[in-house]
Every structure is written in C-alpha cells, then in structure tokens.
Coordinates of all heavy atoms in Angstrom, one line a residue:
M1 N -45.4 -14.1 -15.1 CA -46.1 -13.6 -13.9 C -47.5 -13.2 -14.3 O -47.8 -12.8 -15.4 CB -45.3 -12.4 -13.3 CG -45.6 -12.1 -11.9 SD -45.6 -13.5 -10.8 CE -43.9 -14.0 -10.9
S2 N -48.4 -13.4 -13.4 CA -49.8 -13.2 -13.7 C -50.1 -11.7 -14.0 O -49.5 -10.8 -13.5 CB -50.7 -13.7 -12.6 OG -51.3 -12.6 -11.9
V3 N -51.2 -11.5 -14.8 CA -51.5 -10.1 -15.2 C -52.0 -9.3 -14.0 O -51.7 -8.1 -14.0 CB -52.7 -10.2 -16.2 CG1 -52.8 -8.9 -17.0 CG2 -52.6 -11.3 -17.1
T4 N -52.6 -9.9 -13.1 CA -53.2 -9.1 -11.9 C -52.1 -8.8 -10.9 O -52.3 -8.1 -10.0 CB -54.3 -10.0 -11.2 OG1 -53.7 -11.2 -10.9 CG2 -55.5 -10.1 -12.1
R5 N -50.9 -9.3 -11.1 CA -49.8 -9.2 -10.2 C -49.5 -7.8 -9.7 O -49.3 -7.5 -8.6 CB -48.6 -9.9 -10.7 CG -47.3 -9.7 -10.0 CD -47.5 -10.2 -8.5 NE -46.5 -9.7 -7.7 CZ -45.2 -10.2 -7.6 NH1 -44.9 -11.2 -8.3 NH2 -44.3 -9.6 -6.9
S6 N -49.6 -6.8 -10.7 CA -49.3 -5.5 -10.3 C -50.1 -4.9 -9.2 O -49.7 -4.1 -8.5 CB -49.4 -4.6 -11.6 OG -50.6 -4.7 -12.2
K7 N -51.4 -5.4 -9.2 CA -52.2 -4.9 -8.1 C -52.1 -5.7 -6.8 O -52.4 -5.2 -5.7 CB -53.7 -5.0 -8.5 CG -54.1 -4.0 -9.6 CD -55.6 -4.2 -10.0 CE -55.8 -4.0 -11.5 NZ -57.1 -4.6 -11.9
L8 N -51.7 -6.9 -7.0 CA -51.5 -7.8 -5.8 C -50.1 -7.7 -5.3 O -49.4 -8.7 -5.4 CB -51.9 -9.2 -6.2 CG -53.4 -9.4 -6.7 CD1 -53.6 -10.7 -7.4 CD2 -54.3 -9.3 -5.5
D9 N -49.8 -6.6 -4.6 CA -48.5 -6.5 -4.1 C -48.4 -6.8 -2.6 O -47.4 -6.8 -2.0 CB -47.9 -5.1 -4.4 CG -48.8 -4.0 -4.0 OD1 -49.9 -4.2 -3.4 OD2 -48.4 -2.8 -4.2
S10 N -49.6 -7.0 -2.0 CA -49.6 -7.3 -0.6 C -50.6 -8.4 -0.4 O -51.6 -8.5 -1.1 CB -50.1 -6.1 0.2 OG -50.4 -6.4 1.5
I11 N -50.4 -9.3 0.7 CA -51.3 -10.4 0.9 C -52.7 -10.0 1.2 O -53.7 -10.6 0.8 CB -50.7 -11.3 2.1 CG1 -49.4 -11.9 1.6 CG2 -51.7 -12.4 2.5 CD1 -49.4 -12.7 0.4
N12 N -52.9 -8.8 1.8 CA -54.2 -8.4 2.1 C -55.0 -8.0 0.9 O -56.2 -8.1 0.9 CB -54.3 -7.3 3.2 CG -53.7 -6.0 2.8 OD1 -53.7 -5.6 1.7 ND2 -53.0 -5.3 3.7
E13 N -54.3 -7.8 -0.2 CA -55.0 -7.6 -1.5 C -55.6 -8.9 -2.0 O -56.7 -8.9 -2.6 CB -54.1 -6.9 -2.6 CG -53.8 -5.5 -2.3 CD -55.0 -4.6 -2.4 OE1 -55.8 -4.8 -3.4 OE2 -55.3 -3.8 -1.5
F14 N -54.9 -10.0 -1.8 CA -55.4 -11.3 -2.2 C -56.7 -11.6 -1.4 O -57.7 -12.0 -2.0 CB -54.3 -12.4 -1.9 CG -53.2 -12.5 -2.8 CD1 -52.2 -11.5 -2.8 CD2 -53.1 -13.5 -3.7 CE1 -51.1 -11.6 -3.7 CE2 -52.1 -13.6 -4.7 CZ -51.1 -12.6 -4.6
A15 N -56.6 -11.3 -0.2 CA -57.8 -11.6 0.7 C -59.0 -10.7 0.3 O -60.1 -11.1 0.1 CB -57.5 -11.3 2.2
R16 N -58.7 -9.4 0.0 CA -59.7 -8.5 -0.4 C -60.4 -8.9 -1.7 O -61.6 -8.7 -1.9 CB -59.1 -7.1 -0.5 CG -60.1 -5.9 -0.1 CD -59.3 -4.6 0.1 NE -58.5 -4.3 -1.1 CZ -59.1 -3.6 -2.1 NH1 -60.3 -3.2 -2.1 NH2 -58.3 -3.3 -3.1
Q17 N -59.6 -9.3 -2.6 CA -60.1 -9.7 -4.0 C -60.5 -11.1 -4.1 O -60.9 -11.6 -5.2 CB -59.0 -9.3 -5.0 CG -58.8 -7.8 -5.1 CD -57.8 -7.4 -6.1 OE1 -57.8 -8.0 -7.3 NE2 -56.9 -6.5 -5.9
G18 N -60.4 -11.9 -3.0 CA -60.9 -13.3 -3.0 C -60.0 -14.3 -3.7 O -60.5 -15.3 -4.2
Y19 N -58.7 -14.0 -3.8 CA -57.8 -15.0 -4.4 C -57.1 -15.8 -3.4 O -56.9 -15.4 -2.3 CB -56.8 -14.3 -5.2 CG -57.2 -13.6 -6.5 CD1 -57.2 -12.2 -6.7 CD2 -57.7 -14.4 -7.6 CE1 -57.6 -11.6 -7.8 CE2 -58.2 -13.8 -8.7 CZ -58.1 -12.4 -8.9 OH -58.5 -11.8 -10.0
L20 N -56.8 -17.0 -3.8 CA -55.8 -17.8 -3.0 C -54.4 -17.4 -3.4 O -54.2 -16.9 -4.5 CB -56.0 -19.3 -3.3 CG -57.3 -19.9 -2.9 CD1 -57.4 -21.4 -3.3 CD2 -57.5 -19.8 -1.4
V21 N -53.5 -17.6 -2.4 CA -52.1 -17.3 -2.7 C -51.4 -18.6 -3.2 O -51.3 -19.5 -2.5 CB -51.4 -16.8 -1.4 CG1 -49.9 -16.5 -1.7 CG2 -52.2 -15.6 -0.8
R22 N -51.0 -18.6 -4.5 CA -50.3 -19.7 -5.0 C -48.9 -19.5 -4.9 O -48.3 -18.6 -5.5 CB -50.8 -20.0 -6.4 CG -50.0 -21.2 -7.1 CD -50.5 -21.5 -8.5 NE -51.9 -22.0 -8.5 CZ -52.6 -22.1 -9.5 NH1 -52.2 -21.7 -10.7 NH2 -53.8 -22.5 -9.4
V23 N -48.2 -20.4 -4.2 CA -46.8 -20.3 -3.9 C -46.1 -21.4 -4.7 O -46.4 -22.6 -4.5 CB -46.4 -20.4 -2.4 CG1 -44.9 -20.2 -2.2 CG2 -47.3 -19.4 -1.6
T24 N -45.3 -21.1 -5.6 CA -44.5 -22.1 -6.4 C -43.1 -22.0 -6.1 O -42.4 -21.0 -6.2 CB -44.7 -21.8 -7.9 OG1 -46.1 -21.7 -8.2 CG2 -44.1 -22.9 -8.7
C25 N -42.5 -23.2 -5.6 CA -41.1 -23.3 -5.3 C -40.2 -22.9 -6.5 O -40.5 -23.5 -7.6 CB -40.8 -24.6 -4.7 SG -39.1 -24.9 -4.4
A26 N -39.2 -22.1 -6.3 CA -38.3 -21.7 -7.4 C -37.4 -22.9 -7.7 O -36.8 -22.9 -8.8 CB -37.6 -20.5 -7.0
N27 N -37.3 -23.8 -6.8 CA -36.3 -25.0 -7.1 C -37.1 -26.2 -7.6 O -36.7 -26.6 -8.7 CB -35.7 -25.3 -5.7 CG -34.6 -26.4 -5.9 OD1 -33.8 -26.4 -6.8 ND2 -34.7 -27.4 -5.1
C28 N -38.0 -26.7 -6.9 CA -38.7 -28.0 -7.3 C -40.0 -27.8 -8.0 O -40.7 -28.7 -8.4 CB -38.7 -29.0 -6.2 SG -40.0 -28.5 -4.9
H29 N -40.5 -26.5 -7.9 CA -41.8 -26.2 -8.5 C -43.0 -26.8 -7.8 O -44.1 -27.0 -8.4 CB -41.9 -26.5 -10.1 CG -40.8 -25.8 -10.8 ND1 -39.7 -26.4 -11.4 CD2 -40.6 -24.5 -11.1 CE1 -38.9 -25.5 -11.9 NE2 -39.4 -24.4 -11.8
H30 N -42.8 -27.2 -6.6 CA -43.9 -27.6 -5.8 C -44.8 -26.5 -5.6 O -44.4 -25.3 -5.3 CB -43.4 -28.1 -4.4 CG -44.4 -28.4 -3.4 ND1 -45.3 -29.4 -3.5 CD2 -44.8 -27.7 -2.3 CE1 -46.1 -29.4 -2.4 NE2 -45.9 -28.4 -1.7
V31 N -46.1 -26.7 -5.7 CA -47.1 -25.7 -5.6 C -48.0 -25.8 -4.4 O -48.4 -26.9 -4.0 CB -48.1 -25.7 -6.8 CG1 -49.2 -24.6 -6.7 CG2 -47.3 -25.4 -8.1
A32 N -48.1 -24.7 -3.6 CA -49.0 -24.7 -2.4 C -50.0 -23.6 -2.6 O -49.6 -22.5 -3.0 CB -48.2 -24.6 -1.2
E33 N -51.2 -23.8 -2.3 CA -52.2 -22.7 -2.4 C -52.7 -22.4 -1.0 O -53.2 -23.3 -0.2 CB -53.4 -23.2 -3.3 CG -53.0 -23.1 -4.7 CD -54.1 -23.4 -5.7 OE1 -55.2 -23.7 -5.2 OE2 -53.8 -23.4 -6.9
L34 N -52.4 -21.2 -0.6 CA -52.7 -20.8 0.8 C -53.8 -19.8 0.9 O -54.0 -19.0 0.0 CB -51.4 -20.1 1.4 CG -50.1 -20.9 1.2 CD1 -49.0 -20.0 1.7 CD2 -50.2 -22.2 2.0
N35 N -54.6 -20.0 2.0 CA -55.7 -19.0 2.3 C -55.0 -17.7 2.7 O -54.3 -17.7 3.7 CB -56.5 -19.7 3.4 CG -57.7 -18.8 3.8 OD1 -57.5 -17.6 3.9 ND2 -58.8 -19.4 4.0
P36 N -55.3 -16.6 2.0 CA -54.6 -15.4 2.4 C -55.0 -14.8 3.8 O -54.2 -14.2 4.4 CB -55.1 -14.4 1.3 CG -56.3 -15.0 0.7 CD -56.2 -16.5 0.9
V37 N -56.2 -15.1 4.2 CA -56.6 -14.6 5.5 C -55.8 -15.3 6.6 O -55.3 -14.7 7.5 CB -58.1 -14.9 5.8 CG1 -58.5 -14.5 7.2 CG2 -58.9 -14.1 4.7
L38 N -55.6 -16.7 6.5 CA -54.8 -17.4 7.4 C -53.3 -17.0 7.4 O -52.7 -16.8 8.4 CB -54.9 -18.9 7.2 CG -56.3 -19.5 7.4 CD1 -56.3 -21.0 7.1 CD2 -56.8 -19.3 8.8
L39 N -52.9 -16.8 6.2 CA -51.5 -16.3 6.0 C -51.3 -15.0 6.6 O -50.2 -14.8 7.3 CB -51.2 -16.3 4.5 CG -49.8 -16.0 4.0 CD1 -48.8 -16.9 4.7 CD2 -49.6 -16.0 2.5
M40 N -52.2 -14.1 6.4 CA -52.1 -12.7 7.0 C -52.0 -12.9 8.6 O -51.2 -12.2 9.2 CB -53.4 -11.9 6.7 CG -53.3 -11.2 5.4 SD -54.9 -10.6 4.9 CE -55.1 -9.3 6.1
Q41 N -52.8 -13.8 9.1 CA -52.8 -13.9 10.6 C -51.4 -14.5 11.0 O -50.9 -14.0 12.0 CB -53.9 -14.9 11.0 CG -55.3 -14.3 10.9 CD -56.4 -15.4 11.1 OE1 -56.1 -16.5 11.3 NE2 -57.6 -14.9 11.1
Q42 N -50.9 -15.4 10.3 CA -49.6 -15.9 10.6 C -48.5 -14.9 10.5 O -47.6 -14.8 11.4 CB -49.2 -17.1 9.6 CG -49.9 -18.4 9.9 CD -49.7 -19.4 8.9 OE1 -48.8 -19.3 8.0 NE2 -50.5 -20.5 8.9
L43 N -48.5 -14.1 9.4 CA -47.6 -13.0 9.2 C -47.7 -12.0 10.3 O -46.7 -11.5 10.8 CB -47.7 -12.4 7.8 CG -47.4 -13.3 6.7 CD1 -47.9 -12.6 5.4 CD2 -46.0 -13.6 6.6
H44 N -48.9 -11.7 10.6 CA -49.1 -10.7 11.7 C -48.6 -11.1 13.0 O -47.9 -10.3 13.7 CB -50.6 -10.4 11.8 CG -51.0 -9.3 12.7 ND1 -50.7 -8.0 12.5 CD2 -51.5 -9.3 14.0 CE1 -51.1 -7.3 13.5 NE2 -51.6 -8.0 14.4
M45 N -48.8 -12.4 13.3 CA -48.3 -12.9 14.6 C -46.8 -13.0 14.7 O -46.2 -12.8 15.7 CB -48.9 -14.3 14.9 CG -50.4 -14.2 15.3 SD -51.0 -15.8 16.0 CE -50.8 -16.9 14.5
G46 N -46.2 -13.3 13.5 CA -44.8 -13.3 13.4 C -44.1 -12.0 13.2 O -43.0 -11.9 12.9
R47 N -45.0 -10.9 13.1 CA -44.6 -9.5 12.8 C -43.8 -9.5 11.5 O -42.7 -8.8 11.4 CB -43.7 -9.0 14.0 CG -44.5 -8.8 15.3 CD -43.5 -8.5 16.4 NE -44.2 -8.6 17.7 CZ -44.9 -7.6 18.2 NH1 -45.0 -6.4 17.6 NH2 -45.5 -7.7 19.4
K48 N -44.3 -10.2 10.5 CA -43.6 -10.2 9.3 C -44.4 -9.4 8.2 O -45.5 -9.1 8.4 CB -43.5 -11.7 8.7 CG -42.5 -12.5 9.5 CD -42.4 -13.9 9.0 CE -41.4 -14.7 9.9 NZ -41.7 -16.2 9.8
S49 N -43.6 -9.0 7.2 CA -44.2 -8.2 6.1 C -45.2 -8.9 5.3 O -45.1 -10.1 5.1 CB -43.1 -7.7 5.2 OG -43.6 -7.1 4.1
M50 N -46.2 -8.2 4.9 CA -47.2 -8.9 4.0 C -46.9 -8.5 2.5 O -47.7 -8.8 1.6 CB -48.6 -8.4 4.3 CG -49.1 -8.9 5.7 SD -50.8 -8.5 5.9 CE -50.9 -8.8 7.7
E51 N -45.8 -7.9 2.3 CA -45.4 -7.6 1.0 C -45.0 -8.8 0.2 O -44.2 -9.6 0.6 CB -44.1 -6.7 1.1 CG -43.9 -5.7 0.1 CD -42.6 -4.9 0.3 OE1 -42.6 -4.2 1.4 OE2 -41.7 -5.0 -0.5
V52 N -45.7 -9.0 -1.0 CA -45.5 -10.2 -1.8 C -44.0 -10.4 -2.2 O -43.5 -11.4 -2.1 CB -46.4 -10.1 -3.0 CG1 -46.0 -11.2 -4.0 CG2 -47.8 -10.3 -2.6
E53 N -43.4 -9.3 -2.6 CA -42.0 -9.4 -3.1 C -41.1 -9.9 -2.0 O -40.2 -10.7 -2.2 CB -41.5 -8.0 -3.5 CG -41.1 -7.9 -5.0 CD -40.8 -6.5 -5.3 OE1 -39.7 -6.0 -4.9 OE2 -41.5 -5.9 -6.1
R54 N -41.3 -9.4 -0.7 CA -40.5 -9.9 0.3 C -40.8 -11.3 0.7 O -39.9 -12.1 1.0 CB -40.8 -9.0 1.5 CG -39.7 -9.0 2.6 CD -39.8 -8.0 3.6 NE -39.7 -6.6 3.0 CZ -39.6 -5.5 3.8 NH1 -39.6 -5.6 5.1 NH2 -39.5 -4.3 3.2
L55 N -42.1 -11.7 0.7 CA -42.5 -13.1 0.9 C -41.9 -14.1 -0.1 O -41.5 -15.2 0.3 CB -44.0 -13.2 0.9 CG -44.7 -12.9 2.2 CD1 -46.2 -12.8 1.9 CD2 -44.4 -13.8 3.3
E56 N -41.8 -13.6 -1.3 CA -41.2 -14.6 -2.3 C -39.8 -15.0 -1.9 O -39.4 -16.0 -2.2 CB -41.2 -13.9 -3.7 CG -42.6 -13.8 -4.3 CD -42.5 -13.3 -5.7 OE1 -41.8 -12.3 -6.0 OE2 -43.3 -13.8 -6.6
R57 N -39.1 -14.1 -1.3 CA -37.7 -14.4 -0.9 C -37.7 -15.1 0.4 O -36.7 -15.9 0.7 CB -36.9 -13.1 -0.7 CG -36.4 -12.6 -2.1 CD -35.7 -11.2 -1.9 NE -36.6 -10.1 -2.0 CZ -36.6 -9.0 -1.3 NH1 -35.7 -8.9 -0.3 NH2 -37.4 -8.1 -1.5
Q58 N -38.7 -15.0 1.2 CA -38.7 -15.7 2.5 C -39.4 -17.0 2.6 O -39.0 -17.8 3.5 CB -39.4 -14.8 3.6 CG -38.6 -13.5 3.9 CD -39.4 -12.6 4.8 OE1 -40.6 -12.8 5.0 NE2 -38.7 -11.5 5.2
M59 N -40.3 -17.3 1.7 CA -41.0 -18.6 1.7 C -40.1 -19.8 1.6 O -39.2 -19.8 0.7 CB -42.0 -18.6 0.6 CG -43.2 -17.8 0.8 SD -44.3 -18.6 2.0 CE -45.8 -17.6 1.7
R60 N -40.3 -20.8 2.4 CA -39.5 -21.9 2.4 C -40.4 -23.1 1.9 O -41.4 -23.3 2.5 CB -38.9 -22.3 3.7 CG -37.8 -23.4 3.7 CD -37.3 -23.7 5.0 NE -36.4 -22.7 5.6 CZ -35.1 -22.6 5.4 NH1 -34.5 -23.5 4.7 NH2 -34.4 -21.7 6.0
C61 N -39.9 -23.9 1.0 CA -40.6 -25.0 0.4 C -40.7 -26.1 1.4 O -39.7 -26.5 2.1 CB -39.9 -25.5 -0.9 SG -40.7 -26.9 -1.6
R62 N -41.9 -26.7 1.5 CA -42.1 -27.9 2.5 C -41.4 -29.1 2.0 O -41.1 -30.0 2.7 CB -43.5 -28.1 2.6 CG -44.2 -27.2 3.6 CD -45.7 -27.5 3.8 NE -46.4 -26.3 4.2 CZ -47.7 -26.2 4.1 NH1 -48.4 -27.2 3.7 NH2 -48.2 -25.1 4.5
L63 N -41.2 -29.2 0.7 CA -40.7 -30.5 0.1 C -39.1 -30.4 0.1 O -38.5 -31.3 0.6 CB -41.1 -30.7 -1.3 CG -42.6 -31.2 -1.5 CD1 -42.7 -31.6 -3.0 CD2 -42.8 -32.4 -0.6
C64 N -38.6 -29.4 -0.5 CA -37.1 -29.4 -0.7 C -36.4 -28.4 0.2 O -35.2 -28.3 0.2 CB -36.8 -29.1 -2.1 SG -37.1 -27.4 -2.6
Q65 N -37.1 -27.7 1.1 CA -36.5 -26.7 2.0 C -35.9 -25.5 1.3 O -35.2 -24.8 2.0 CB -35.5 -27.4 3.0 CG -36.1 -28.6 3.7 CD -37.3 -28.3 4.5 OE1 -37.4 -27.3 5.2 NE2 -38.3 -29.1 4.4
H66 N -36.0 -25.4 0.0 CA -35.4 -24.3 -0.7 C -36.1 -23.0 -0.2 O -37.3 -22.9 -0.1 CB -35.6 -24.5 -2.2 CG -35.1 -23.3 -3.0 ND1 -33.8 -23.2 -3.4 CD2 -35.8 -22.3 -3.5 CE1 -33.7 -22.0 -4.1 NE2 -34.9 -21.5 -4.2
R67 N -35.4 -21.9 0.0 CA -35.9 -20.7 0.3 C -36.0 -19.8 -1.0 O -35.0 -19.6 -1.6 CB -35.1 -19.9 1.3 CG -35.8 -18.7 1.9 CD -34.9 -18.0 2.9 NE -34.7 -18.7 4.1 CZ -35.4 -18.5 5.2 NH1 -36.4 -17.6 5.2 NH2 -35.2 -19.2 6.3
G68 N -37.2 -19.4 -1.3 CA -37.4 -18.6 -2.5 C -38.5 -19.2 -3.3 O -38.6 -20.4 -3.6
A69 N -39.5 -18.4 -3.7 CA -40.7 -18.9 -4.4 C -41.3 -17.8 -5.3 O -41.0 -16.7 -5.2 CB -41.7 -19.4 -3.4
R70 N -42.2 -18.3 -6.1 CA -43.0 -17.3 -6.9 C -44.4 -17.3 -6.3 O -45.0 -18.3 -6.1 CB -43.1 -17.8 -8.4 CG -41.8 -17.7 -9.1 CD -41.5 -16.3 -9.5 NE -40.3 -16.2 -10.3 CZ -39.8 -15.0 -10.7 NH1 -40.5 -13.9 -10.4 NH2 -38.7 -15.0 -11.4
I71 N -44.9 -16.1 -6.2 CA -46.3 -16.0 -5.7 C -47.2 -15.4 -6.8 O -46.8 -14.4 -7.4 CB -46.3 -15.1 -4.4 CG1 -45.6 -15.8 -3.3 CG2 -47.7 -14.7 -4.1 CD1 -45.5 -14.9 -2.0
S72 N -48.3 -16.1 -7.0 CA -49.3 -15.6 -7.9 C -50.7 -15.8 -7.4 O -50.8 -16.4 -6.3 CB -49.1 -16.3 -9.3 OG -49.2 -17.7 -9.1
A73 N -51.7 -15.4 -8.1 CA -53.0 -15.5 -7.6 C -53.7 -16.7 -8.2 O -53.5 -17.1 -9.3 CB -53.8 -14.3 -8.0
A74 N -54.5 -17.4 -7.4 CA -55.3 -18.6 -7.9 C -56.7 -18.3 -7.5 O -57.0 -17.8 -6.4 CB -54.8 -19.8 -7.2
S75 N -57.6 -18.7 -8.5 CA -59.0 -18.6 -8.2 C -59.4 -19.7 -7.2 O -59.0 -20.9 -7.5 CB -59.8 -18.7 -9.5 OG -61.1 -18.9 -9.2
P76 N -60.2 -19.4 -6.2 CA -60.6 -20.5 -5.3 C -61.6 -21.5 -6.0 O -62.0 -22.5 -5.4 CB -61.2 -19.7 -4.1 CG -61.5 -18.4 -4.6 CD -60.6 -18.1 -5.8
D77 N -62.1 -21.2 -7.1 CA -63.1 -22.0 -7.8 C -62.5 -23.3 -8.4 O -63.2 -24.2 -8.7 CB -63.8 -21.3 -8.9 CG -64.6 -20.1 -8.3 OD1 -65.1 -20.2 -7.2 OD2 -64.6 -19.0 -9.0
F78 N -61.2 -23.3 -8.6 CA -60.6 -24.5 -9.2 C -60.5 -25.6 -8.2 O -60.1 -25.4 -7.1 CB -59.2 -24.2 -9.7 CG -59.2 -23.2 -10.9 CD1 -58.3 -22.1 -10.9 CD2 -60.1 -23.3 -11.9 CE1 -58.3 -21.2 -11.9 CE2 -60.1 -22.4 -12.9 CZ -59.2 -21.4 -13.0
Ligands
ZN1 ZN1 -39.2 -27.0 -3.4

C-alpha cells in the first residue's frame, strides 16, 4: 500500500491533494484511474460514503464484475 495512504482515507483528500484515485481490481488486477472530483459527485448523488476503506469493498470491476478493489493514489502527471 502506498506511503501516503494513511492520510488519504477519504476521496475528498485525493481531490484536495491533487491525486487521481487508482482502483486496482483484487481479482483481475485491472486498473482504473478516476478523477476524485467526479467520483465525489457520483458518491454524493448516490448518498454513498467517501471513505476509502468502504469503497474498496464496494467498487465493482468493469472487466470481471468482481466486487472488491485496492485504492491508491496516482499522480496525474503520468
Ligand atoms: Zn477485475
């Protein structure tokens, strides 16, 4: 898990610190990088938690439909 992870316990921290949300499927390791601001809006509209730990359990992979992922920070410069 990334070093910065301890501070990034909520999606709005990713947005505040300018990181992308990297979601890695726990099953097939498919990686998706999400804009935290858009993700926050989606979560807000769905009245869902922005807590990273909870999201890791709720995220569903687009490829294999597996529920469960790893969330880490990605620099938008890559
Ligand atoms: Zn997957």
